[in-house]
Amino acid sequence: MSEKQLILVVDDDTDLVEMIGMKLESEDFQVAKAYDGVEAFEKIQENKPALIILDVMMPRKDGYTLCDELKNSDAYKDIVVVLLTAVTDAISSTNYTHMGGKTTLADDFIPKPIDLDRLMEIVKDSL
Amino acid sequence: MADTPGADARGIGGIRLSEELIQVDICGKESVAVLGNLLEFLSNKEIPVLHFHQGADGARRGTSLCLKKAASSFLQRFLSGLSLIEQGCISVWPGRGTISLFPHRFDLAFCGQIIWILRQADIPLYGVSTSVSKMVLHTDFDLLDTAVINILHICQLPKNHTPLRPKILFGEDEVETEAVYWEHTIRIFGITRDKGLAELHCDLPKAHLADKRLLQFCQAQGRFRFLLQQNGCGNTVYLDLLFDGPLQSTYLEPLQEMAKDLEGMDLRVSHGREMVSFHGPHFQDRHGIVRMALWRLSQAGIVPLRTGCTGSSIHMVTEENGVDEIISCLEDVFVVP
């Protein structure tokens, strides 16, 4: 019997984490949850996931920083990282700074509000 | 801050404390018009409604919403434009705050224990509601830390849990995440519909939210779908709970015993209830969402029995066959891309 693959879902939107988690579990994945980048890194160290679904704007450590730390680490660079990105063209005025021009090492992106079915396609294609 | 939880403390993912809020309660004869005008005013001033509870049947008819403290001066401006009769419909309570616990895992025993322990500690509850993940309790802002201390007698946070008052960092900079933007068509990530639900209505005196028999019921019943507690006029609390399928009569026995003993307690069960949920994201960042939804429904003559919005999702409870009507009515208000 094959072991279920572990996916870590990281977002400070707890309802989104729960909905993604329920969808993943229905597709027979094992799910871990974290609500910011620091907690996420601790969970990764405890139990290395196959894939991380990772929000960008979060308390304590943002998704770009965590992604870069993982991809620059021998121990964790093989973890697939799917970033959840805000759809900036819909926002008329914000007061957060874009990290313009910064390239990230994420394996894939999906814009918010996410299409859960599309997210499952990305997850299955990536693993 | 926390005492060490007991051996059977329940692990939770996190606790979040709000900033200081204003709670606005609206009930009475002119309440529909006053609410409509208030929501339009708030939307025009780009002020998001952070939490929203509404009951529409019988004694539960009324609305409670929360705004940031910074909206206070705008609110005063709105109130000064009301007639005396209209002003009589609206009560404003500054100094409020919310505690969000997550995830609740639809565990009614957990929710019951939280309510019980806070009431045992004389912490007032001005409203309680749930979303897919969170249980949100409304209380006095200056009691939030005390509430957490009590909650941590029966709950355990992860070792390096997310902060109770999180600040969003982008790189090393603290940023404001609220875009405060408006969309004509509100993009969300999901709509769920639940049918064939049972709803328990429990009207009871406020002091008896800490009654052990209520806790016994919660522990026996196990799983729930949605919880909404609103304060009524005077001393009454309205507690509405949604469940999958019919309720076991044996589980209701502690509550039936309470109802026999307590004057002013009423207990009823309704069947064939439905619930539609519109899921996020970030309703708290965006103004006009509640107004758009309710205005469109009111134009169609649709009034959900109960509406709860904790900031990430909106839940509406209806009678049988109501959910499809609501989804159809709101199909160009909420869209899943």
Side-chain angles (χ1 to χ4, degrees):
Chain A
M1 190 187 301
S2 63
E3 223 172 83
K4 290 184 186 181
Q5 286 179 298
L6 175 64
I7 296 178
L8 175 63
V9 184
V10 190
D11 197 314
D12 59 328
D13 183 337
T14 63
D15 281 355
L16 182 58
V17 169
E18 208 63 26
M19 292 291 283
I20 293 174
M22 288 195 286
K23 187 77 176 171
L24 289 168
E25 282 168 352
S26 74
E27 302 278 353
D28 219 31
F29 290 104
Q30 194 186 343
V31 177
K33 298 166 192 170
Y35 304 100
D36 67 33
V38 169
E39 190 182 11
F41 190 69
E42 294 232 338
K43 296 252 164 132
I44 291 163
Q45 289 177 305
E46 282 168 16
N47 203 353
K48 183 179 164 186
L51 184 146
I52 299 172
I53 297 168
L54 180 58
D55 186 27
V56 171
M57 304 289 279
M58 290 186 294
R60 295 198 292 181
K61 186 180 287 187
D62 66 83
Y64 283 140
T65 302
L66 178 61
C67 178
D68 285 358
E69 284 177 3
L70 295 175
K71 290 301 185 184
N72 286 312
S73 153
D74 286 337
Y76 302 122
K77 62 186 176 188
D78 58 333
I79 300 175
V80 177
V81 178
V82 178
L83 276 181
L84 304 179
T85 59
V87 181
T88 57
D89 63 350
I91 301 171
S92 57
S93 69
T94 75
N95 61 352
Y96 70 82
T97 305
H98 294 271
M99 291 178 81
K102 178 178 168 62
T103 54
T104 78
L105 301 170
D107 298 279
D108 213 329
F109 302 82
I110 188 165
K112 283 185 170 183
I114 63 166
D115 177 341
L116 281 173
D117 291 331
R118 174 71 191 128
L119 179 63
M120 292 304 116
E121 280 175 16
I122 291 174
V123 166
K124 287 174 186 175
D125 289 345
S126 301
L127 293 176
Chain B
M1 168 187 286
D3 290 346
T4 308
D8 52 355
R10 204 253 220 196
I12 55 174
I15 297 175
R16 221 164 260 166
L17 304 180
S18 74
E19 59 183 277
E20 192 170 342
L21 303 176
I22 309 167
Q23 182 170 328
V24 180
D25 293 341
I26 304 172
C27 67
K29 235 175 136 185
E30 301 294 327
S31 60
V32 171
V34 168
L35 175 64
N37 291 337
L38 176 61
L39 292 177
E40 185 175 358
F41 177 86
L42 294 173
S43 181
N44 290 341
K45 299 295 179 198
E46 298 185 358
I47 297 169
V49 173
L50 304 181
H51 302 279
F52 184 89
H53 303 159
Q54 185 172 60
D57 50 340
R60 281 161 168 67
R61 188 178 299 275
T63 301
S64 182
L65 56 92
C66 285
L67 310 171
K68 286 190 176 180
K69 182 184 171 186
S72 177
S73 59
F74 292 102
L75 189 59
Q76 290 308 316
R77 208 181 303 167
F78 173 78
L79 293 173
S80 65
L82 297 180
S83 68
L84 279 176
I85 292 176
E86 288 169 331
Q87 284 181 17
C89 295
I90 192 165
S91 305
V92 177
W93 309 98
R96 294 282 164 92
T98 61
I99 308 161
S100 301
L101 311 174
F102 53 90
H104 54 63
R105 299 180 200 136
F106 300 100
D107 180 353
L108 189 60
F110 167 72
C111 294
Q113 280 186 299
I114 296 295
I115 291 173
W116 183 82
I117 202 152
L118 292 178
R119 291 301 301 131
Q120 284 287 104
D122 274 330
I123 290 171
L125 292 177
Y126 304 117
V128 184
S129 63
T130 56
S131 70
V132 163
S133 66
K134 292 185 295 221
M135 179 188 194
V136 182
L137 305 118
H138 297 242
T139 188
D140 293 321
F141 178 70
D142 56 10
L143 288 178
L144 291 181
D145 289 337
T146 307
V148 170
I149 289 170
N150 282 277
I151 286 167
L152 290 177
H153 286 305
I154 59 169
C155 290
Q156 187 157 30
L157 287 166
K159 223 170 21 178
N160 201 352
H161 59 85
T162 194
L164 272 58
R165 292 180 173 90
K167 296 189 191 315
I168 306 295
L169 294 181
F170 204 52
E172 289 183 4
D173 301 322
E174 187 182 318
V175 295
E176 176 61 69
T177 60
E178 289 184 12
V180 196
Y181 61 92
W182 183 82
E183 296 176 299
H184 185 265
T185 304
I186 301 161
R187 287 169 303 143
I188 56 176
F189 65 80
I191 301 173
T192 51
R193 59 186 93 191
D194 299 293
K195 298 189 177 185
L197 305 173
E199 190 174 26
L200 175 71
H201 314 280
C202 188
D203 307 355
L204 69 162
K206 266 181 205 156
H208 292 276
L209 266 181
D211 195 303
K212 279 233 154 174
R213 290 169 292 187
L214 183 56
L215 185 56
Q216 274 171 6
F217 162 74
C218 293
Q219 287 167 332
Q221 181 60 35
R223 193 176 159 85
F224 75 103
R225 298 307 300 272
F226 178 64
L227 182 159
L228 185 66
Q229 180 238 302
Q230 298 174 265
N231 285 2
C233 299
N235 212 21
T236 305
V237 160
Y238 301 126
L239 181 60
D240 297 295
L241 292 155
L242 268 184
F243 302 97
D244 288 318
L247 289 174
Q248 291 253 17
S249 55
T250 45
Y251 296 159
L252 288 171
E253 281 169 7
L255 292 181
Q256 288 161 340
E257 194 189 293
M258 254 177 95
K260 279 189 203 149
D261 292 343
L262 293 180
E263 199 178 317
M265 179 166 170
D266 186 37
L267 195 65
R268 297 179 315 286
V269 177
S270 303
H271 296 284
R273 291 290 201 241
E274 299 182 352
M275 181 170 72
V276 58
S277 306
F278 301 93
H279 299 290
H282 296 304
F283 284 161
Q284 286 166 311
D285 294 351
R286 298 187 280 173
H287 58 87
I289 292 178
V290 170
R291 175 182 170 255
M292 287 280 286
L294 294 187
W295 177 75
R296 184 61 63 86
L297 290 176
S298 75
Q299 278 197 310
I302 298 171
V303 182
L305 292 170
R306 250 156 296 294
T307 304
C309 178
T310 63
S312 297
S313 50
I314 294 179
H315 306 280
M316 295 180 180
V317 180
T318 75
E319 290 176 334
E320 205 160 11
N321 301 318
V323 151
D324 293 331
E325 206 182 19
I326 286 178
I327 291 173
S328 175
C329 183
L330 297 179
E331 65 182 358
D332 59 348
V333 174
F334 294 111
V335 67
V336 181

